[in-house]
Amino acid sequence: MKIRAALPAEKDQICNVLRRSIAELCTADHAGDPARLDPWLFNKTPENVRAWMNDPTARMLIAVDGTTILGVGSANASGEITLNYVSPDARFRGVSKAILGELENYLREQGNSLSKLTSTSTAHGFYKACGYSDSGPAQMHRQINAQPMEKQL
């Protein structure tokens, strides 16, 4: 597995990983209910993926095995991790942890001493195991429980 910058030509594959990860792995959050799932998926389009990649204040990374995208993550220069999703085909292989580590390195390079993110219920235990702690009360965001978390870098 290699972690590298995402390329615009990979936008469709990245979008597929995002959508499959949410639909197939985050069932504890949406329970297959379209009223909860659809608002989460609505902005996961190839066009938005390309726009996120082209944001000069952010970095989007992917984990790859050959030409297969195993996971995708993104962070902005102000210290927030905005994406960290793994393909259902690569779950429990260290993909999310490897991406998270590289995103935290990016945040340090940008001068941040604190990493912030918003966790789903599905990922909450993962982030706690990676050193993050709750930084406020959970709130509903697009019909999904959203837990703010942070970690000193």
Side-chain angles (χ1 to χ4, degrees):
M1 173 177 61
K2 178 181 175 183
I3 308 293
R4 64 167 174 79
L7 302 172
E10 297 166 320
K11 68 185 182 326
D12 293 323
Q13 285 180 279
I14 291 168
C15 182
N16 185 51
V17 168
L18 292 170
R19 294 180 68 83
R20 282 192 64 212
S21 182
I22 293 165
E24 297 175 36
L25 301 180
C26 297
T27 55
D29 293 283
H30 59 70
D33 179 359
R36 296 172 71 194
L37 182 58
D38 293 348
W40 196 354
L41 294 175
F42 92 96
N43 68 341
K44 308 307 186 284
T45 66
E47 295 76 23
N48 281 342
V49 168
R50 181 180 35 205
W52 298 334
M53 263 187 252
N54 291 334
D55 181 348
T57 66
R59 178 169 294 162
M60 182 179 284
L61 302 174
I62 58 172
V64 294
D65 183 5
T67 59
T68 302
I69 297 175
L70 305 176
V72 59
S74 185
N76 60 43
S78 65
E80 182 182 10
I81 293 175
T82 56
L83 297 173
N84 190 7
Y85 290 93
V86 63
S87 168
D89 303 324
R91 192 172 195 197
F92 301 121
R93 291 178 37 194
V95 173
S96 291
K97 191 170 187 176
I99 290 171
L100 182 63
E102 289 300 319
L103 292 173
E104 290 173 348
N105 288 339
Y106 166 71
L107 296 180
R108 283 185 200 93
E109 290 168 7
Q110 299 305 303
N112 294 289
S113 59
L114 185 69
S115 173
K116 297 178 183 181
L117 57 82
T118 303
S119 178
T120 61
S121 296
T122 300
H124 190 251
F126 165 76
Y127 287 118
K128 285 187 88 106
C130 291
Y132 284 79
S133 58
D134 296 347
S135 60
Q139 299 182 13
M140 291 300 286
H141 178 71
R142 294 187 185 149
Q143 305 300 317
I144 301 296
N145 189 43
Q147 177 61 59
M149 301 183 83
E150 65 185 23
K151 174 184 173 180
Q152 291 292 320
L153 296 174

